[in-house]
Amino acid sequence: MTSMRRRLFLLVAAVLLLAGLATGVVLYAAARADRADRPQTGGPAVSAGKLTLDQKSRLLFVNAAPGPHRTAVASVPSSDPQAGRTAADLRCARFYAAAGTGICLQSNPGVLRQSDRALLLDAGLRTRRTFPLAGTPSRARVSPSGRFVAWTVFVSGESYSSAFFSTRTSILDARTMRLTPSLETFSVVKDGKLYHASDINFWGVTFASDDDTFYATLNTADRTYLVRGSLSRRTVTTLARNVECPSLSPDGTRVAYKKRVLSGAALWHEYVLDLRTLHETALAERHSVDDQATWLDNRTVAYALPANGTVGSSDLWSVPADGTGTPRLLVPGASSPAPL
C-alpha cells in the first residue's frame, strides 16, 4: 500500500470511527430517554389536557417525573400542588409565564450538534415566534406585564460551577419583537464608574413591574454582582456582591437569590435581600440550591433541588422568605415553576 493510500485509508477509518462514536452516544441518550419516558410505579398521576396561561390559581412547571409526559409543561392547583397534574403537548427544558405570555426553551440532541431554540408563547401555549439559541438553555423569565421576556444560555461550559463557562443573556420585547441578543451591549456602571472588561457575563434576569427596570447577575474578574438595569437607557449598575440568579418579589421590595457560601466550590445557599437597606436574610433551606428561585407570593419562594436517586430529575421545594420555618416539598418531579 502506497503512503498516499495508507493515509487515505487511515483518514476514512478515523471518520467512520468518529461517526460510529457519535451515533452510539445519540443512541445511548435515546435509550435513556426511552426508559425515562415509560410509566413509573408510585409516580405522580399525570394526564394529558389543555392548559392556558389565563387560568387562575394554578401553578405551572416542567414535569420532571419519569413517564410519558416527562419534560411537558404541566399544571396543578396552587392550593393543592401535589394533586394530579395536567400535562400540555409542549416540552421544554426551561419554562416561565406571566400575564398571558410564555417562554419555552428547548434543547434537542443531534448526531453532530444539539438544536436549541426559544419559543415565545401566547396564552393558549401556541408558538408566536421561534428564536435560535446560541447554547444550552439555563434561565428564563417573563415580566409581570407579559411584555418582556429574557433567557440565558450557556455558550460554553455546562453549569455555573464549571471552571470555565460563558453565558449569553437576551431580552425580547414581545410587543415590538425587538430582540436584544446580548446584555453585554449595555453600559456597565460599577462602583459609580463606567466599567469595561472582556470577561463580562450576565445571567438570571428578573423584571420589575414598570416595564423598564430589571435585575440580573453580572460576573467579571471572578466576582458576581447584583445589578439593576434600565431597558430604556441600556445601562446596568452594580448594587451588591456575591448575588446570583436574583428573583424580584411581587411587591418589588426584595430579591431572592443564591449566594456562594464556599469560595471556589459549587455550594450556594438561598438568601433574600432587602433592596432598600441591602440587608440580607438567610433562608431556612440548608441544601445547596443551584436555581433561580420563584416567588409564589410575597411570603414564599420556590426552587428546585435534585430528586433523590433520580438522575436528571428534580423536585420543587418552598420556604418562607423571612428566614423562619422549614423547607417543604411543594411538587415532586418538577422544575421551572410559574405561578398564575
Side-chain angles (χ1 to χ4, degrees):
M1 183 180 295
T2 65
S3 177
M4 180 62 72
R5 291 179 62 188
R6 182 179 297 107
R7 286 198 293 270
L8 181 60
F9 173 79
L10 292 175
L11 177 61
V12 171
V15 170
L16 292 174
L17 177 61
L18 290 174
L21 288 173
T23 302
V25 169
V26 172
L27 291 175
Y28 175 73
R32 288 187 59 189
D34 179 68
R35 289 194 298 271
D37 287 342
R38 297 171 187 167
Q40 302 291 311
T41 302
V46 188
S47 59
K50 182 176 177 58
L51 300 183
T52 65
L53 301 182
D54 51 15
Q55 294 174 307
K56 303 299 183 183
S57 301
R58 305 288 294 184
L59 178 64
L60 271 62
F61 52 89
V62 173
N63 179 45
H69 299 287
R70 188 176 62 93
T71 74
V73 174
S75 170
V76 292
S78 298
S79 59
D80 189 10
Q82 296 195 32
R85 55 193 71 173
T86 303
D89 186 22
L90 174 69
R91 296 179 183 270
C92 309
R94 292 288 185 271
F95 172 81
Y96 199 77
T101 298
I103 181 67
C104 170
L105 306 186
Q106 297 181 332
S107 183
N108 300 306
V111 174
L112 297 180
R113 59 175 298 178
Q114 67 183 26
S115 172
D116 303 304
R117 61 181 187 167
L119 306 182
L120 178 66
L121 308 169
D122 67 12
L125 294 183
R126 295 176 294 263
T127 301
R128 294 176 57 195
R129 287 281 295 272
T130 301
F131 300 88
L133 298 179
T136 304
S138 173
R139 307 291 182 219
R141 274 297 190 269
V142 179
S143 67
S145 70
R147 176 176 175 180
F148 290 98
V149 176
W151 59 78
T152 298
V153 301
F154 287 111
V155 179
S156 62
E158 296 181 350
S159 74
Y160 300 104
S161 61
S162 301
F164 302 99
F165 70 89
S166 176
T167 62
R168 183 172 302 169
T169 295
S170 306
I171 294 182
L172 171 71
D173 185 332
R175 187 173 69 188
T176 66
M177 293 300 166
R178 180 186 178 186
L179 176 67
T180 300
S182 175
L183 274 186
E184 293 170 29
T185 60
F186 278 36
S187 298
V188 177
V189 178
K190 178 176 172 289
D191 301 326
K193 300 178 181 179
L194 280 174
Y195 178 79
H196 303 278
S198 60
D199 67 344
I200 285 176
N201 281 289
F202 289 99
W203 64 81
V205 167
T206 183
F207 294 99
S209 60
D210 61 2
D211 278 345
D212 184 62
T213 305
F214 67 92
Y215 297 85
T217 299
L218 163 68
N219 177 263
T220 183
D222 294 325
R223 289 185 175 179
T224 57
Y225 300 85
L226 173 68
V227 295
R228 178 190 288 123
S230 168
L231 293 172
S232 61
R233 294 192 296 272
R234 297 178 65 83
T235 61
V236 299
T237 303
T238 58
L239 297 180
R241 290 184 179 180
N242 199 9
V243 173
E244 298 184 54
C245 297
S247 180
L248 187 63
S249 61
D251 61 14
T253 64
R254 295 153 293 157
V255 292
Y257 65 99
K258 64 177 192 176
K259 176 179 180 179
R260 194 180 295 268
V261 294
L262 186 62
S263 179
L267 184 62
W268 296 275
H269 283 172
E270 280 294 303
Y271 283 74
V272 165
L273 181 74
D274 187 311
L275 292 171
R276 293 166 294 192
T277 65
L278 297 185
H279 173 75
E280 63 179 21
T281 299
L283 302 189
E285 177 60 73
R286 305 319 299 163
H287 289 93
S288 181
V289 179
D290 184 10
D291 192 23
Q292 184 175 17
T294 296
W295 292 77
L296 300 178
D297 51 45
N298 279 313
R299 302 177 303 277
T300 314
V301 296
Y303 48 90
L305 287 175
N308 290 333
T310 305
V311 177
S313 187
S314 60
D315 298 325
L316 288 178
W317 291 75
S318 67
V319 71
D322 61 1
T324 65
T326 58
R328 72 181 184 94
L329 180 62
L330 184 69
V331 185
S335 66
S336 294
L340 302 183

